[in-house]
Amino acid sequence: MEKAMETEQTEPQPMSKNAKKKLLKQQRYEAKKAEKKAFEKEQKKREVERKRKEWDEKLASLSQEEREKLIEERKELRKERMEKRSEERERKIEKLNEAKSNGQNVVIDLEFMHLMNSSELNSLVQQIMYCYAVNSRCASPAHLWLTSCVGEMQNHLQRLPGYDKWVIEKEDRSYIEAFQDQKEKLVYLTADSENVLNELDPKALYIIGGLVDRNRWKGITMKKAEEQGIQTAKLPIGDYLKMSSSQVLTVNQVVEIILKFLEAKDWKNSFFRVIPQRKRCDADLGDCDGEIEGNDSGEEKDAKEIGIIEGEDVENKDDLKIKRRCIET
């Protein structure tokens, strides 16, 4: 009986024609994105060379005394910037440490590692990085947890610059083991749940499934929660906007929505600030012709996760600096 259940749980559902179409569109977008990234990298390199050349020419046009004065002024300016960044890092760390005792607990479940290939693991790692960066710059951050953080998943995370300094709970046990004495407080967030999350319970531990699966494992987070006998809930997306496809979001989008709601206590505002335009129908016209292919307004991740996740967008300009923020923090 157990073997039969295990076989049923580990056999992915075949991709539908619509899912295959979306996957092909995603692959075309990824190729376009890689080309754009290479172009921007070359442009950045040329800009650095241009500025260096201008600096050298400016120094060459000055007297020895003027050169020394200008170099000293530049050193002082750089020192001031470094001190300011250091102060900002200290404030962030202080807020994150305070969140350990009074912040909303948000758990990212990494127990699906064996269901993902290397590319999908990399996508999930990027999403986790965004989660940490967004949380670290919040006025009132949440208390983030990574559970089942072992094996290849842990190896991928450890390759991130500054990961060892992150103020985040890194738990090698599953959430069921880690919170065995608080099972009644566990709430798995899944789009398949019939329970709508209208308010956040400060005592609850909200779980987000960490699975990038290209639409292969439909309903797996809901099934897992039911088998474990823990509560489930879904975000009230349908009460405030229409989605161009399904209501599933990326890990970082769900985390950011929770953070926005904790800040303003307004679901509508949170959804519209986080969910990208291309995944929404026009609120006034009811236009819902389908998902628009990724635009060029920001970095866009290729993750698609069932239960919570499907396609990630980073449209906020601040998010383009997230990698640097993670390293600094």
Side-chain angles (χ1 to χ4, degrees):
M1 184 67 177
E2 290 182 2
K3 288 185 178 179
M5 289 180 63
E6 184 179 349
T7 302
E8 181 184 353
Q9 192 173 19
T10 56
E11 287 183 359
Q13 296 182 11
M15 293 181 69
S16 65
K17 289 184 179 179
N18 189 41
K20 289 179 180 178
K21 183 179 177 181
K22 285 187 177 182
L23 180 58
L24 287 173
K25 185 163 73 171
Q26 185 67 30
Q27 289 172 342
R28 289 196 299 269
Y29 176 72
E30 288 171 3
K32 181 180 176 182
K33 185 174 69 172
E35 183 180 343
K36 179 185 175 184
K37 187 175 181 180
F39 174 77
E40 290 176 343
K41 185 177 181 180
E42 182 61 28
Q43 288 289 94
K44 185 177 180 180
K45 182 180 178 181
R46 290 178 182 176
E47 181 65 12
V48 169
E49 290 175 351
R50 183 188 67 79
K51 288 183 178 181
R52 183 182 291 113
K53 184 178 179 181
E54 286 182 355
W55 172 253
D56 291 340
E57 289 175 351
K58 186 173 184 178
L59 289 179
S61 66
L62 301 175
S63 65
Q64 180 67 24
E65 184 178 346
E66 289 173 328
R67 277 200 299 271
E68 291 177 355
K69 182 180 179 181
L70 185 61
I71 291 172
E72 189 62 32
E73 288 176 352
R74 190 168 184 176
K75 285 181 179 179
E76 286 297 320
L77 184 61
R78 184 176 299 173
K79 183 180 177 182
E80 288 177 7
R81 286 202 302 264
M82 294 299 290
E83 289 175 350
K84 185 178 180 180
R85 287 182 184 177
S86 179
E87 291 174 0
E88 289 175 352
R89 283 198 298 271
E90 290 176 2
R91 285 196 295 269
K92 285 180 182 179
I93 292 172
E94 184 178 351
K95 287 189 299 181
L96 291 171
N97 282 322
E98 289 177 359
K100 288 184 177 183
S101 57
N102 54 31
Q104 180 72 64
N105 285 286
V106 178
V107 180
I108 301 176
D109 174 19
L110 304 179
E111 206 168 8
F112 300 108
M113 179 186 66
H114 62 291
L115 301 180
M116 293 180 282
N117 59 36
S118 181
S119 174
E120 291 163 344
L121 282 173
N122 283 329
S123 294
L124 179 57
V125 167
Q126 292 293 311
Q127 293 178 36
I128 293 170
M129 182 177 68
Y130 281 104
C131 290
Y132 181 73
V134 170
N135 190 50
S136 67
R137 68 173 184 250
C138 280
S140 299
H143 185 197
L144 294 183
W145 293 75
L146 300 177
T147 59
S148 299
C149 188
V150 294
E152 191 62 25
M153 186 73 243
Q154 186 181 44
N155 294 338
H156 275 67
L157 287 166
Q158 287 175 337
R159 296 190 190 110
L160 293 175
Y163 173 73
D164 58 323
K165 297 179 182 178
W166 284 13
V167 184
I168 189 172
E169 300 293 349
K170 304 162 187 175
E171 178 62 63
D172 57 359
R173 295 175 297 171
S174 68
Y175 57 83
I176 283 291
E177 295 173 314
F179 304 111
Q180 55 185 324
D181 57 340
Q182 302 181 66
K183 187 176 179 180
E184 72 284 355
K185 297 179 182 179
L186 296 175
V187 182
Y188 215 118
L189 297 181
T190 168
D192 298 307
S193 178
E194 295 181 356
N195 305 316
V196 178
L197 188 68
N198 292 312
E199 292 290 338
L200 292 178
D201 181 353
K203 296 181 180 180
L205 296 102
Y206 293 105
I207 306 164
I208 302 170
L211 173 63
V212 177
D213 72 345
R214 303 295 190 269
N215 286 341
R216 297 193 308 273
W217 302 99
K218 293 186 178 181
I220 193 171
T221 51
M222 183 67 185
K223 184 177 180 180
K224 179 179 182 180
E226 288 177 336
E227 290 176 348
Q228 293 175 335
I230 63 175
Q231 301 176 70
T232 64
K234 65 180 177 181
L235 300 177
I237 297 174
D239 295 345
Y240 299 94
L241 56 85
K242 291 182 179 180
M243 300 287 281
S244 61
S245 53
S246 63
Q247 292 187 8
V248 290
L249 303 169
T250 57
V251 169
N252 58 287
Q253 285 172 344
V254 177
V255 168
E256 189 167 4
I257 286 170
I258 290 174
L259 293 172
K260 299 295 186 191
F261 181 78
L262 288 170
E263 177 184 316
K265 304 298 181 184
D266 185 334
W267 282 121
K268 183 177 180 179
N269 177 272
S270 302
F271 293 141
F272 275 85
R273 289 178 65 184
V274 177
I275 298 176
Q277 181 63 48
R278 75 181 187 89
K279 287 184 68 65
R280 305 198 306 256
C281 297
D282 190 290
D284 298 321
L285 302 178
D287 182 11
C288 196
D289 294 330
E291 187 175 358
I292 301 170
E293 189 164 355
N295 57 42
D296 295 328
S297 63
E299 283 192 4
E300 180 171 314
K301 311 313 296 179
D302 60 353
K304 289 186 178 182
E305 174 170 351
I306 293 306
I308 289 293
I309 305 168
E310 181 184 32
E312 168 186 2
D313 296 89
V314 181
E315 295 188 330
N316 190 317
K317 290 182 180 180
D318 289 339
D319 291 335
L320 300 179
K321 303 176 182 178
I322 280 179
K323 286 188 178 180
R324 179 176 62 79
R325 291 175 186 261
C326 285
I327 295 171
E328 288 178 353
T329 303

